[in-house]
Amino acid sequence: MPQYTAPLRDINFVLKDVLKSDKHFASLATREEVSEDLMDAIISEGAKFSENVLSPLNQPGDQEGCTWSEDGVKTPKGFKEAYQQYAEGGWPSMTANPEFGGQGLPNSLGLVVTEMVSSACWSWGMYTGLSQSAARLLEVYASDELQQTYLGKMTEGTWGGTMCLTESHCGSDLGLLRTKAEANADGSYNVTGTKIFISGGEHDMMENIIHLVLARVEGAPEGTKGISLFVVPKFLPDENGEVGERNGVHCGSIEHKMGIKASATCVMNFDSAKGFLVGEENRGLNAMFHMMNSARLGTALQGLSAGEASFQGALAYAKDRLQMRSLSGPKNPSGPADPLIVHADVRRMLLTQKAFAEGSRAFIYWVAQLVDTFYFAGDEQARKDAEELSELLTPIAKAFVTETGLESANYGMQVFGGHGFISEWGMEQIVRDLRISTLYEGTTGIQALDLLGRKVMGSGGKQLMVFTKIIHRFCKEQQDKPGMAPFVTKLVALNKEWGEITGKLGEKAMANADEVGAASVDYLMYAGYVSLAYMWARMASVALDGDADDVFLKAKVQTANFYYQRILPRTEAHKIAMLNGADSLMDMPEDAFAF
Ligand SMILES: Cc1cc2nc3c(=O)[nH]c(=O)nc-3n(C[C@H](O)[C@H](O)[C@H](O)COP(=O)(O)OP(=O)(O)OC[C@H]3O[C@@H](n4cnc5c(N)ncnc54)[C@H](O)[C@@H]3O)c2cc1C
């Protein structure tokens, strides 16, 4: 199993040098101040916890998995103890509202800790990540009374949270959901129905679990317009706010699945369970989108963190394992063969992993800053702009970073040859664990429809222009800077082409709505490659300003070159495919697919 080491130099480079976190934190009027010392301490403690406490749990957790019994779900050995340590360390409260005991630190800083936790042990991190997303939703949408009842315990980490959307007949299409809620005279509701695939629906790490459940109030309109959101606790709080009576919600079973085996994926039965409305009736999806957006960025992080872990394993192996000689003559003449890392094709795989991990880190951290700005900046216009841009970029981050993370995890296995297929090395676990990331929180196909259909076409291209203008401005500023020409020239061309492609697709879609669905995933991947090209150009520009002999900074520019020369040309294939249109997909009659 690869031992995880937090990539602190890169994390600090992205945060401090590229994204100027000091200026960013200072612009957040309603968040606590973050001094550089505090930031360094948080990152270094988060790294130690991830490396020393969580990383050792990853492989045994996969082997043991979760177990279900009538009494509940048991997580693997060590999970609960690690959680106690995490809660005692104050980590659950890091980004929470100080009004409920939180430390009020910016979410973009919390995300750095989440990245390290996720690389070390994704399954463990799911329990904490979902709990924190649930608490953030309640901070924004719940009544004062609900906030007073639940947020203190959730902030200190004694109570966790889940998101309960999916039912057996509805996943992508939540308009079909059937779980129902009947109003009681005291203002509460009785929630009845079955939710499936609920992550952390039942477990032994926290004393209470607060489910956020989508359900339909009797008489509500059909489809997505009739969905409401409820808080349904496992134990109803007593008059002192402590764990009280058991509510009518139980875990019927857990799924046997390909990966993330230490994360309990539960069938949850709600049997007239007492629930409390969050926000207004029939406006539940709006509130849930809040949690989903944060969970989407969290899932994007899975692509990055698994890609990083796989890269670390592959790099160490490629330096150690001796096989054959370099085509250009021996590089390890005193040994029986050369290490794998001398071979061009192995380097192609390693550099692809490096380019995706570091590019995605910069991209996700930037989106997280935009989300901070949207919620907490003092300047109204800055908040509005950040909202628009983060909405556009979230589906790109979620789908592109998980798809390319998966490609990277597969390369990590490939670098190990046949040994990558053997469990002991841990490389196949990374692939298995990561595979879910392109499916849950909205599949790649659903993210792509959201991007092209809702965000880009839905705004008449305006939302896209917010981003292309930023790229345009950056290119103008950088065009004369020594060393930047190869990046700027290509980025300018792609930025222009992106707008042209969008216009052409818009015209096609006017004649045939299926053109949107036919183009959407290619469009999203194109958008992802351009987004990472922008981040790589930003990183290269900062690196070029630094010490020319610094190996880390030189490698940044070299990796940017690799990305532009060897990965970015993929945009051409996506462009051709999406502009070739829907006919080759839609012409075939359903009964002609197979004989
Ligand atoms: C391990 C795991 C953990 C999960 N955790 C949670 C959780 O905590 N809470 C929760 O509520 N859910 C959870 N889920 C559910 C998950 O979010 C859904 O499985 C996912 O949203 C997809 O829904 P589905 O499985 O019903 O697939 P479907 O919606 O049936 O989709 C099947 C395929 O059809 C495609 N498709 C569907 N509609 C369209 C369309 N209009 N256009 C183009 N393509 C389309 C999809 O992209 C997909 O490829 C989890 C699932 C798993 C496996």
Side-chain angles (χ1 to χ4, degrees):
M1 188 72 198
Q3 165 60 40
Y4 172 65
T5 307
L8 294 180
R9 174 90 199 255
D10 198 53
I11 287 174
N12 280 304
F13 171 77
V14 172
L15 274 180
K16 295 180 186 170
D17 302 335
V18 180
L19 298 177
K20 310 283 179 219
S21 52
D22 51 347
K23 277 198 195 134
H24 167 70
F25 293 148
S27 74
L28 304 175
T30 56
R31 290 271 97 171
E32 293 297 308
E33 261 179 54
V34 187
S35 66
E36 186 160 352
D37 282 352
L38 177 64
M39 179 169 143
D40 289 344
I42 288 173
I43 294 175
S44 122
E45 287 307 307
K48 277 190 222 152
F49 181 75
S50 304
E51 291 168 357
N52 302 331
V53 180
L54 295 181
S55 185
L57 297 178
N58 197 30
Q59 197 171 29
D62 175 63
Q63 284 157 357
E64 185 184 337
C66 290
T67 41
W68 178 93
S69 75
E70 292 283 349
D71 301 329
V73 171
K74 200 169 156 304
T75 53
K77 191 159 171 268
F79 269 47
K80 193 173 170 179
E81 292 73 15
Y83 185 73
Q84 268 159 3
Q85 223 176 307
Y86 179 82
E88 277 159 20
W91 294 106
S93 68
M94 190 179 152
T95 59
N97 188 340
E99 213 184 305
F100 305 102
Q103 299 170 52
L105 293 168
N107 297 328
S108 61
L109 184 55
L111 193 98
V112 177
V113 176
T114 313
E115 181 204 319
M116 296 186 284
V117 164
S118 306
S119 283
C121 187
W122 176 262
S123 289
W124 185 92
M126 280 186 72
Y127 297 98
T128 60
L130 281 160
S131 297
Q132 281 159 32
S133 296
R136 292 310 88 81
L137 183 150
L138 295 179
E139 275 178 19
V140 178
Y141 290 95
S143 63
D144 284 352
E145 195 188 340
L146 286 178
Q147 289 183 347
Q148 294 302 336
T149 310
Y150 293 99
L151 281 178
K153 293 281 188 190
M154 290 177 87
T155 301
E156 71 185 23
T158 10
W159 294 2
T162 69
M163 53 192 285
C164 300
L165 290 71
T166 308
E167 299 177 8
S168 60
H169 58 282
C170 81
S172 306
D173 188 357
L174 292 170
L176 299 173
L177 76 80
R178 292 186 196 135
T179 297
K180 58 177 191 198
E182 290 166 290
N184 295 318
D186 64 358
S188 68
Y189 291 75
N190 282 352
V191 177
T192 302
T194 298
K195 298 282 179 183
I196 66 162
F197 296 164
I198 305 308
S199 300
E202 176 63 32
H203 58 82
D204 56 0
M205 284 165 56
M206 302 164 201
E207 69 176 33
N208 199 4
I209 303 172
I210 313 306
H211 304 288
L212 295 184
V213 185
L214 289 181
R216 206 178 280 287
V217 176
E218 281 198 320
E222 299 271 292
T224 51
K225 291 202 168 75
I227 296 175
S228 305
L229 178 65
F230 299 88
V231 163
V232 182
K234 174 178 168 184
F235 293 101
L236 291 157
D238 66 14
E239 59 281 7
N240 301 317
E242 300 297 329
V243 159
E245 192 190 325
R246 185 76 159 87
N247 202 359
V249 47
H250 291 94
C251 172
S253 60
I254 55 173
E255 305 293 347
H256 300 279
K257 54 194 195 291
M258 174 179 179
I260 58 165
K261 289 175 189 266
S263 164
T265 306
C266 305
V267 173
M268 298 304 297
N269 298 317
F270 296 84
D271 187 8
S272 282
K274 198 161 242 205
F276 307 92
L277 184 68
V278 178
E280 291 169 41
E281 270 188 14
N282 301 333
R283 304 273 302 155
L285 262 191
N286 285 42
M288 195 47 117
F289 263 119
H290 181 102
M291 186 166 180
M292 278 151 71
N293 271 338
S294 112
R296 278 176 185 174
L297 206 54
T299 309
L301 211 56
Q302 188 177 8
L304 157 61
S305 56
E308 170 69 39
S310 177
F311 172 53
Q312 290 190 11
L315 180 60
Y317 192 79
K319 286 180 178 173
D320 189 55
R321 169 92 169 159
L322 306 181
Q323 287 296 288
M324 297 178 71
R325 290 292 182 193
S326 158
L327 292 178
S328 54
K331 301 293 182 288
N332 175 33
S334 57
D338 285 339
L340 294 177
I341 198 164
V342 307
H343 304 304
D345 187 56
V346 173
R347 286 175 159 252
R348 174 187 64 82
M349 295 189 275
L350 291 171
L351 278 166
T352 302
Q353 291 193 292
K354 181 174 167 67
F356 281 144
E358 294 177 9
S360 301
R361 176 171 299 117
F363 184 42
I364 293 177
Y365 285 15
W366 180 50
V367 180
Q369 284 194 343
L370 293 169
V371 177
D372 277 349
T373 304
F374 161 41
Y375 283 115
F376 303 113
D379 182 83
E380 187 60 30
Q381 190 58 43
R383 291 170 65 143
K384 270 190 148 163
D385 293 347
E387 179 181 15
E388 247 185 323
L389 190 54
S390 63
E391 278 191 354
L392 177 88
L393 299 180
T394 298
I396 303 175
K398 194 291 179 178
F400 179 79
V401 175
T402 56
E403 291 285 349
T404 51
L406 197 56
E407 177 184 338
S408 170
N410 269 315
Y411 281 148
M413 239 179 92
Q414 193 75 12
V415 168
F416 273 70
H419 299 272
F421 198 68
I422 305 301
S423 304
E424 180 191 335
W425 290 97
M427 300 305 282
E428 57 84 43
Q429 184 192 337
I430 298 175
V431 177
R432 283 189 291 104
D433 284 353
L434 182 55
R435 185 63 188 86
I436 184 61
S437 67
T438 68
L439 297 165
Y440 58 15
E441 291 311 329
T443 59
T444 300
I446 295 301
Q447 303 297 331
L449 278 182
D450 180 43
L451 173 70
L452 182 58
R454 245 182 96 228
K455 309 275 164 69
V456 176
M457 302 276 178
S459 68
K462 269 203 233 135
Q463 222 168 342
L464 172 63
M465 265 151 59
V466 178
F467 187 26
T468 52
K469 272 187 194 157
I470 291 174
I471 298 179
H472 179 75
R473 213 167 39 235
F474 169 81
C475 290
K476 265 198 126 168
E477 284 161 13
Q478 299 286 322
Q479 63 192 0
D480 298 325
K481 181 169 172 171
M484 283 301 287
F487 308 124
V488 171
T489 312
K490 187 73 197 154
L491 194 52
V492 166
L494 280 171
N495 202 35
K496 185 165 168 281
E497 184 182 78
W498 193 0
E500 289 162 1
I501 292 173
T502 306
K504 283 185 190 159
L505 290 177
E507 280 168 30
K508 279 168 170 277
M510 301 257 259
N512 176 9
D514 272 334
E515 291 288 347
V516 175
S520 56
V521 169
D522 282 301
Y523 187 88
L524 184 140
M525 294 306 286
Y526 181 99
Y529 287 116
V530 178
S531 302
L532 247 61
Y534 168 62
M535 299 317 302
W536 268 113
R538 283 180 69 175
M539 289 195 282
S541 173
V542 173
L544 285 165
D545 288 338
D547 176 359
D549 294 327
D550 183 322
V551 180
F552 170 86
L553 296 177
K554 263 168 95 173
K556 272 282 163 205
V557 180
Q558 285 165 334
T559 313
N561 265 320
F562 170 82
Y563 182 83
Y564 270 72
Q565 289 180 24
R566 300 294 302 240
I567 296 185
L568 203 50
R570 296 179 187 186
T571 50
E572 188 65 17
H574 287 296
K575 178 183 91 176
I576 294 168
M578 66 183 130
L579 291 180
N580 274 342
D583 292 351
S584 63
L585 295 173
M586 305 311 286
D587 280 354
M588 189 177 292
E590 280 170 32
D591 54 9
F593 269 66
F595 294 93

